[in-house]
Amino acid sequence: MPRPDPRMQLALQALALFPRFTRWAATRVQGGELGRGLSLRQFAVFAALRAGNRSPSEVAARLNVTPAVVTGLVDRLERRGYVRREVSPGDRRRYSLRITEAGERVCDEVQQALAQQLAAQFAGASAEALAECSRALIRIEQAVAALERPPALATTREPPARQTSAEPARPRRSPAQEPRAAPAKPASPRRSSARGQARKPTRRRAS
């Protein structure tokens, strides 16, 4: 019986854990005053902005939603004073997103509260076990970041392979197969230079 691949086991464990962790965080945020009435998706907008995503299209790509969904989330956050839109100086049709000081405070409060509840579950772990878990989480974070990057597109094409001496030479055409040249047109006779000139009158002899 083949041994299971440890990489596949780790990937399956992570995929099973992420939805459970998201449900737990959503329950804690939306179930009480911890999130001040904000949804977990709105906090995902905060996380995207803190990661350096400024345009609505970048936030939509990070959250894997449409730009219209991001517009609705930003509208609600802006009404509560947590996010503001800034018009681009070069193009007034474009704008970037910024977290306000009030939004930063809310993010810090929620992050600290969730971290404290999660840290309480590691009370009996040794320093070595905590360090091992930290290294594993860093490796998982790197893997997720690599998956989020778009695939690289090939911009150059390989030149066609040159014919080597080992390749068979092209067969030469026989004279019968060679295309015949079109017959040359006969040269048009040159017109006499005297043609077109007025003929001299002939003198008649007197009888």
Side-chain angles (χ1 to χ4, degrees):
M1 183 176 180
R3 298 178 59 184
D5 188 352
R7 295 172 301 179
M8 282 295 298
Q9 288 183 332
L10 177 61
L12 292 173
Q13 290 175 354
L15 290 175
L17 178 61
F18 291 160
R20 295 177 58 189
F21 184 81
T22 302
R23 287 194 298 270
W24 169 77
T27 302
R28 296 301 303 158
V29 170
Q30 300 175 2
E33 295 297 328
L34 179 61
R36 299 188 183 183
L38 298 178
S39 66
L40 195 64
R41 183 169 285 185
Q42 289 172 326
F43 279 101
V45 173
F46 288 145
L49 296 179
R50 282 185 161 185
N53 302 276
R54 299 302 183 188
S55 66
S57 59
E58 292 175 345
V59 176
R62 184 178 179 87
L63 272 62
N64 196 22
V65 296
T66 62
V69 173
V70 174
T71 300
L73 294 172
V74 172
D75 287 342
R76 289 188 285 273
L77 292 172
E78 190 176 28
R79 284 196 296 267
R80 301 191 62 171
Y82 295 147
V83 171
R84 68 173 179 271
R85 290 180 169 94
E86 295 181 353
V87 179
S88 175
D91 189 354
R92 298 188 63 84
R93 295 173 299 179
R94 299 179 179 273
Y95 62 89
S96 58
L97 303 174
R98 294 288 187 275
I99 304 178
T100 62
E101 294 183 1
E104 292 285 358
R105 288 194 298 269
V106 172
C107 290
D108 292 339
E109 290 175 3
V110 173
Q111 186 177 18
Q112 290 295 323
L114 293 177
Q116 289 176 0
Q117 296 179 18
L118 187 58
Q121 307 305 314
F122 302 135
S126 63
E128 183 180 357
L130 293 176
E132 184 178 356
C133 289
S134 179
R135 288 191 297 268
L137 289 175
I138 291 174
R139 187 67 185 89
I140 293 175
E141 193 277 334
Q142 293 174 349
V144 173
L147 293 173
E148 290 176 340
R149 288 195 296 267
L153 300 178
T155 56
T156 58
R157 295 182 179 179
E158 295 182 358
R162 296 182 179 179
Q163 184 177 359
T164 61
S165 58
E167 296 179 356
R170 295 182 179 180
R172 299 184 62 182
R173 295 181 179 179
S174 64
Q177 294 177 342
E178 292 291 339
R180 296 182 178 179
K185 295 182 179 180
S188 58
R190 295 183 178 179
R191 294 182 179 180
S192 174
S193 59
R195 190 177 182 180
Q197 296 180 356
R199 295 182 179 180
K200 295 181 180 180
T202 57
R203 294 181 181 180
R204 294 182 180 181
R205 294 181 180 181
S207 57

